[in-house]
Amino acid sequence: ENVSFQLITQKSKQQNLLSQEKKNKKQLDSEKALKQKTLKDYQKQEKKLTAELKKKEKQAKELQRQIQKIINEELAKSKKANKTATPKENAEEIELSNDFLANKGRLPWPTAKSTVIREYGRYKHKSGGENMNYGIELLTDRGATIRSVFDGKVTRIATGPNGYKMVFIKHGNYITVYTNLETVSVKEGSDVATKQKIGVIHTNNENRAEFNFQIWSGKEAQVESQNPRIWLA
């Protein structure tokens, strides 16, 4: 009887161990499947993020090509206009250029509140490769007002590669550029004053209101981008 009881007990223990092993294996398989799914999800998300970053950098390059093309056109137009301008008009143009230059380091920021998220100059982007930022990238509040940094004339309003507006304001031999505007409250050819509202910033799906602000100088055939940090107060 004792031998029979021991055999039953031993068999019961073996069954319990086998059952526990099956449970452990099932749990391990479940954990392994979850890890694989998590890894696949992460890789999928990473791939999506990389594609979005590449798209954003491509748009940034397209935007810059468009800006430089317009800058060159505007300065060529200005040079041509100067040849037929009256002495008074030329004197006003020179005075405005000198006033703008005299305020170097004292110009108001294009928004009342903003954070610089990318400085002027070359940078390496997360999607691989390098790009050049010809202005400063600013992050501001949702629906923030964008304003002119100095007295001038609106020479061009264009639509960027992302479908949002950009405004070009001429200050004598200088041009300031404001990108990514949802709405524009000025017209081409209109005069603007320092801190005058020129539009409202676009806010993207991630609730971020970003825009690029640039300053260009151009006299004769020489066109140069300026580091806005040196010019702003």
Side-chain angles (χ1 to χ4, degrees):
E1 283 183 10
N2 284 339
V3 172
S4 179
F5 178 75
Q6 283 173 357
L7 284 169
I8 291 165
T9 305
Q10 194 175 357
K11 192 176 180 182
S12 178
K13 280 181 180 178
Q14 283 175 343
Q15 283 175 341
N16 284 340
L17 281 168
L18 191 65
S19 178
Q20 189 60 45
E21 277 179 19
K22 281 181 180 177
K23 279 182 183 176
N24 289 345
K25 189 178 182 301
K26 194 176 179 182
Q27 191 177 344
L28 283 168
D29 287 346
S30 178
E31 285 174 2
K32 189 180 176 182
L34 183 65
K35 279 180 182 177
Q36 284 175 338
K37 187 184 181 298
T38 304
L39 182 64
K40 278 182 182 177
D41 288 346
Y42 173 76
Q43 287 171 337
K44 194 177 177 182
Q45 190 64 29
E46 193 176 37
K47 199 175 178 182
K48 188 185 173 184
L49 188 65
T50 303
E52 283 172 359
L53 285 168
K54 280 183 178 177
K55 186 184 175 183
K56 196 175 179 182
E57 287 304 327
K58 189 184 176 185
Q59 278 189 345
K61 283 184 178 180
E62 284 173 7
L63 176 71
Q64 197 53 53
R65 276 195 291 269
Q66 193 177 351
I67 287 172
Q68 283 178 265
K69 183 176 179 285
I70 291 171
I71 292 286
N72 290 332
E73 286 170 0
E74 289 305 314
L75 291 171
K77 193 166 74 177
S78 178
K79 190 181 174 184
K80 191 178 177 182
N82 286 345
K83 289 177 181 178
T84 56
T86 64
K88 187 189 174 188
E89 285 170 336
N90 280 330
E92 286 171 353
E93 186 89 351
I94 292 164
E95 189 181 355
L96 185 56
S97 296
N98 291 340
D99 285 348
F100 189 84
L101 183 59
N103 279 277
K104 191 173 185 177
R106 292 185 294 175
L107 295 175
W109 286 67
T111 51
K113 185 183 172 186
S114 61
T115 305
V116 178
I117 54 173
R118 180 166 285 142
E119 297 285 356
Y120 174 91
R122 295 203 72 81
Y123 66 94
K124 287 184 179 180
H125 47 84
K126 291 177 184 178
S127 60
E130 282 192 1
N131 209 346
M132 173 70 187
N133 185 19
Y134 287 91
I136 50 175
E137 198 78 24
L138 296 166
L139 176 68
T140 185
D141 294 335
R142 183 185 181 93
T145 292
I146 306 302
R147 58 196 192 181
S148 176
V149 298
F150 201 70
D151 297 349
K153 187 184 284 291
V154 178
T155 57
R156 189 81 70 95
I157 296 167
T159 303
N162 63 354
Y164 296 97
K165 302 290 182 186
M166 48 184 170
V167 175
F168 295 74
I169 300 176
K170 195 168 181 295
H171 319 270
N173 291 327
Y174 298 89
I175 294 178
T176 52
V177 187
Y178 314 75
T179 70
N180 207 30
L181 301 179
E182 182 83 43
T183 59
V184 172
S185 48
V186 289
K187 291 179 181 179
E188 286 184 359
S190 61
D191 292 323
V192 290
T194 305
K195 289 190 177 182
Q196 182 179 328
K197 179 182 175 179
I198 57 171
V200 172
I201 192 69
H202 164 68
T203 305
N204 67 18
N205 296 331
E206 295 167 358
N207 207 32
R208 286 176 72 84
E210 301 173 19
F211 74 106
N212 198 283
F213 170 71
Q214 300 183 11
I215 300 175
W216 290 78
S217 67
K219 199 173 181 182
E220 300 304 320
Q222 197 176 7
V223 181
E224 289 179 343
S225 64
Q226 305 282 312
N227 184 350
R229 278 280 200 180
I230 299 166
W231 289 81
L232 298 170

